[in-house]
Amino acid sequence: MTQIRVSAEAVRQLGERLADLAAFVADAPRAARDDAWALGPGDSGAALEALLGDWEHQRRQLAQHLDDLAAAARDAGAASLRAEARAGAVVGGPTP
Amino acid sequence: MTVLLAPLPGSPEVVEALAASLRLQAQRLATAHLQLLDVRAGAVWDSPAGAAFAARVRCLPPVVDRVVQRCAGAARELLALAAVLRECQSACERASRAHTEAVAVRDRFGELMALAEASGSPAEQARAPAYRARMVRAAGEVEASLGEHARAWSRFREADGRCARALGALGRDGLHDPWHYDALTTARAVTGSIATNGGPLVAVPVPALKALAPAVAVAGVLELGVEAVLWGAYGDGSGRALAARAGAVVGVSAAGRVATWLKASARAGGVTSSLVAGPSSRLALGARLRAGAEDTLARSAMVSRLRGVKPTPPPPNIAPFVHRQALGPAGGGASLPVALRLREAARERVLRAFLDDWRVATRNGRQAQALLGGAWAVRAGATAYPHVGTLADQRGAERGAGEDSPAPRP
């Protein structure tokens, strides 16, 4: 039996969040590299860069998966919203 | 001359902003991960679409928790470092200011003391001890400011070392790339650096730099090979870019050698007959590439040996082979349908070899398939580039001519 306890809008928002996170995961080392100077003259800048970027292959894979999930969630959310709107219109509810 | 004490570089504000951003992303990632886990468990979205989405969520690499820990931990350490950095920068600035003032006072009273001692006036000479005392006090202040400055730097170095060690410890969570991936990316960086930076050097008309040309060319070939392996085995980069580089950067003959090596690697360990089905020995990537290189070298050596062998002349009672097509229809040569059949047969031979490579690579596993794809991409790029390059040059020349000529009137 179909049981949905998450709204279509929430699914769509999850897609947006996942897309943001995919971009963050992909760009994290760049941010660390750009701001490393601010950590002062020492080893912390390089250590931060390694921490955020020294897993390039896994990072790319994770970003790709998050991106795929984001696209799927956005599509599913938008489709559910359209379906709900149509169903609402059929039973006499407010039309979008 | 005023000696300024070295300021402590860095920006606590930027570090705090970076830490805040990392903490925020860690929270968002953790929240999204929890939602994804709920979806995966079917707790909140139980429908065919939810099930399909949950199936995709199951493919998510199990590393999100570790990424969250890394970001949150890094934010914590950065905030601590930013606080120390701010204190130490203030201390350095204070010490530098005090040092400048104390040096000026010390020098001034030193001069006054020297003048007083050299003076013939007893009243002036009587002031000399006071000047000396003031000079000595100022010298003490100079020492104190130097000490404060050194202590501030030392405090920062300690905090920096602590932060670097903590960040390093956060990184020891098992979230890292395989060593061979790291080795390949390092090799790509090194060869790429040689090929990129060596190119302009070789162009300089100095014999010593010209001698670098072979090394630069080899570096270019190696870089292409490493890129092809990274694309084939790990999905890094794109086949189109690889194909473009194969022709544009390295040159057709070198790209051919790379393609041959990749194809031999893809086939390594596999049964060479297309009639035999079933799994073959699954080599690890390193062993596969090594076997491919050995096979390519062996074939290359065999070809070199064969080149040295003179062809055996045909026996006198057998006419030398002449393609019948060359004789034409009047000379009993092939008619058009026969020529077509010959062409079809040649095409079929190529296709059979192509499919045989693919079958062997398929039996050898996904990495072998990908390596074979890399070989085809490199070969295609090397074949297509001269045409594409010529077209691009022509278009460039046309555009250049168009820019030089006056614009047409509307």
Side-chain angles (χ1 to χ4, degrees), chain A residues 8-60:
Chain A
E9 181 57 26
V11 173
R12 201 188 58 75
Q13 282 177 0
L14 175 64
E16 300 294 338
R17 265 199 303 279
L18 290 173
D20 282 352
L21 290 172
F24 162 71
V25 169
D27 275 355
R30 192 183 53 76
R33 200 165 41 243
D34 288 352
D35 291 340
W37 65 271
L39 275 68
D43 302 328
S44 296
L48 179 67
E49 210 177 312
L51 181 70
L52 297 182
D54 208 5
W55 41 294
E56 188 181 347
H57 180 53
Q58 301 233 34
R59 200 163 40 74
R60 280 170 195 259

